[in-house]
Amino acid sequence: MPTSQNAEARRAELSGLLARVAAGDRRALKTVYARTSAKLYGVCLRIARDRDAAEDILQDVYLKVWKRAGGFDPGHASPITWLCAIARNAAIDWVRKHGRPAIPAIEQPPDAGDSEWDAALEALSQDEERAHIFDCLEALAPSQSRAIRLAFFDGLSHPELASALGAPLGTTKSWIRRGLLQLRGCLEGD
Amino acid sequence: MTSKLSSEEAALAAEFALGVLEGEERVQAQRLSLANPAFATRVARWQRRLDPLGQAFAESPPPDVWPLIEAQLDAEARSGEIRTLRFWQVAAGASGVLAAGLAALMILGPAPMQQSSGPVAPASPAPVVIAQLAGTGGTLLAANIDPQARYLSIRAVSLPETPLSPELWVIPGDGVPRSLGLIARGGTTQVKLPENLRPLLVDGALLAVSLETAADAPHTAPSSTPIATGKISVI
């Protein structure tokens, strides 16, 4: 388990690499690729649920990084979440356009084991501010939290959520909407 | 039109940032985030809120696509100038993939225009000639042209951080960019339109902004692909 100091050093290194990519340094891009492709492939695969598709999306993601690195602002976002956002958007664009394998209905209760979730909570436990949003999500009604997590982590659209959660579209939409409002209230300490 | 968002728009901004939208709603949110600064700000705030969640994505052993990425970068570098030229031509024709994507964003009502960066004034007389210039990463500029086509006002809403300077271009139907000079990175710039270029600023002509070195501006041709483009609309 990396210490928070290590995490901070890696973050600074990645920010520095992205600055070099912005300046047109291809070796820096290769290092960014080496450091982050497992993570970004995980994002693409999770959302596209197809290895060939995820492979295509992954290429596209690094070409986007090459072109957009100048727009990365280390004061605004962490480099890894900026990269994940590019991957997430590219993957969502892809699945909205091409579709993907059918989503199996989710039958387990919302608090069923989610190893990624648990690992993330573990990794973030030392960083209170970052852990805050996880606490806030946990505090939502289980249906709302589940819907928001499926949308964020699996890129499910409203109709896909309704089908995955086995509830009417209007119901899952209101889970998302009310969940997001409560999430904001929790994050901002209302 | 005011900067106040309806509750429907506010919800749409949150859902867009979450990534749950599809089809018409996603397109609508993409349009709004480029046309309505209040909406774009709302989306950005949501992205910041959700930002830490990205850390929870699990890693997965990737296929080695680096050689493929490198090959594409090589191909682009080799045809760099050609590619740039082709982009500008495609953009001017508004028929390329990128241009088509951007074109969808241009089907907009007149956005609230203003001369300063204060709050958007409601109910000011609608400008007759406008353009929204949008690019990736939230890059956004708004332009309007006075009815006599002597001046163009362009407001930089959001530009990437860079030591380079934004240069404005008009690309008429012939696909050849003409420089309208450097513009300010923030606030509104008044560009006096040279007489010979005024006839080019017509409905459907493309405005584009590229990043250039300030010292030798204006340039005869852009040195890189534009960071934002938008069609002129006469409303």
Side-chain angles (χ1 to χ4, degrees):
Chain A
M1 190 57 57
T3 67
S4 60
Q5 257 183 340
N6 273 343
E8 198 48 50
R10 279 186 309 173
R11 182 177 166 152
E13 188 209 8
L14 206 45
S15 294
L17 285 166
L18 286 175
R20 282 168 52 199
V21 172
D25 182 342
R26 199 189 289 186
R27 275 184 317 167
L29 183 69
K30 188 174 182 181
T31 312
V32 171
Y33 176 86
R35 298 268 196 284
T36 61
S37 55
K39 180 84 169 181
L40 300 195
Y41 184 64
V43 174
C44 298
L45 190 58
R46 171 101 184 219
I47 291 173
R49 280 188 248 128
D50 175 286
R51 292 199 171 270
D52 289 340
E55 188 172 328
D56 287 349
I57 300 165
L58 189 67
Q59 281 179 60
D60 181 42
V61 165
Y62 283 95
L63 293 169
K64 285 193 161 87
V65 170
W66 176 249
K67 286 171 190 150
R68 295 187 191 169
F72 169 66
D73 174 3
H76 178 87
S78 84
I80 193 65
T81 45
W82 182 79
L83 290 162
C84 280
I86 290 180
R88 223 165 68 81
N89 274 324
I92 288 174
D93 279 339
W94 197 94
V95 298
R96 295 284 189 272
K97 195 169 158 193
H98 297 94
R100 61 181 158 188
I103 314 133
I106 291 159
E107 281 162 17
Q108 73 268 38
D111 56 349
D114 181 337
S115 58
E116 288 176 18
W117 187 258
D118 294 341
L121 284 176
E122 179 78 15
L124 290 169
S125 61
Q126 290 178 311
D127 188 337
E128 278 184 26
E129 196 183 329
R130 296 209 156 252
H132 192 31
I133 188 167
F134 291 80
D135 290 343
C136 286
L137 266 177
E138 295 278 297
L140 297 180
S143 55
Q144 295 176 353
S145 172
R146 187 79 196 170
I148 289 174
R149 282 155 56 170
L150 280 169
F152 187 87
F153 292 107
D154 298 272
L156 296 202
S157 65
H158 279 308
E160 289 170 334
L161 277 175
S163 128
L165 296 169
L169 182 60
T171 305
T172 56
K173 271 196 177 184
S174 89
W175 285 345
I176 289 280
R177 290 200 168 186
R178 277 185 293 162
L180 284 171
L181 282 177
Q182 283 188 35
L183 182 65
R184 186 179 68 184
C186 173
L187 287 169
E188 290 169 4
D190 291 351
Chain B
M1 227 182 293
T2 74
S3 60
K4 266 265 187 245
L5 295 182
S6 68
S7 62
E8 186 60 28
E9 287 170 330
L12 199 67
E15 292 171 274
F16 183 49
L18 181 66
V20 74
L21 298 181
E22 60 153 21
E24 194 47 50
E25 282 188 323
R26 187 165 162 87
V27 172
Q28 191 197 348
Q30 283 167 336
R31 279 182 201 160
L32 276 172
S33 43
L34 292 159
N36 184 341
F39 186 88
T41 304
R42 189 68 69 109
V43 172
R45 266 196 226 131
W46 270 108
Q47 284 168 337
R48 247 197 318 275
R49 280 187 200 110
L50 298 172
D51 185 66
L53 286 182
Q55 299 189 0
F57 276 104
E59 300 193 352
S60 183
D64 184 14
V65 297
W66 176 254
L68 300 170
I69 293 167
E70 196 154 46
Q72 292 200 48
L73 292 175
D74 280 340
E76 291 196 13
R78 262 197 309 277
S79 63
E81 285 190 15
I82 299 166
R83 184 177 54 86
T84 301
L85 183 64
R86 194 186 307 132
F87 174 87
W88 287 86
Q89 286 167 343
V90 166
S95 58
V97 175
L98 186 58
L102 291 168
L105 306 167
M106 297 306 123
I107 310 161
L108 304 162
M113 298 299 303
Q114 53 185 351
Q115 298 300 313
S116 69
S117 52
V120 175
S124 57
V128 289
V129 188
I130 63 156
Q132 304 277 350
L133 284 72
T136 56
T139 297
L140 178 64
L141 303 98
N144 63 350
I145 301 171
D146 78 317
Q148 284 76 44
R150 286 170 309 187
Y151 291 96
L152 179 151
S153 299
I154 184 158
R155 184 164 60 94
V157 180
S158 170
L159 288 178
E161 284 300 318
T162 157
L164 297 171
S165 300
E167 186 164 351
L168 180 66
W169 306 83
V170 58
I171 312 170
D174 64 8
V176 180
R178 272 83 155 183
S179 178
L180 296 172
L182 296 182
I183 59 171
R185 298 191 52 82
T188 302
T189 308
Q190 279 252 325
V191 179
K192 190 175 191 313
L193 298 170
E195 207 148 340
N196 62 322
L197 295 185
R198 283 178 202 171
L200 303 181
L201 289 127
V202 293
D203 197 30
L206 199 75
L207 290 177
V209 171
S210 67
L211 292 173
E212 308 290 344
T213 49
D216 48 350
H219 300 91
T220 50
S223 67
S224 63
T225 52
I227 55 165
T229 59
K231 270 189 174 182
I232 295 174
S233 300
V234 178
I235 307 289

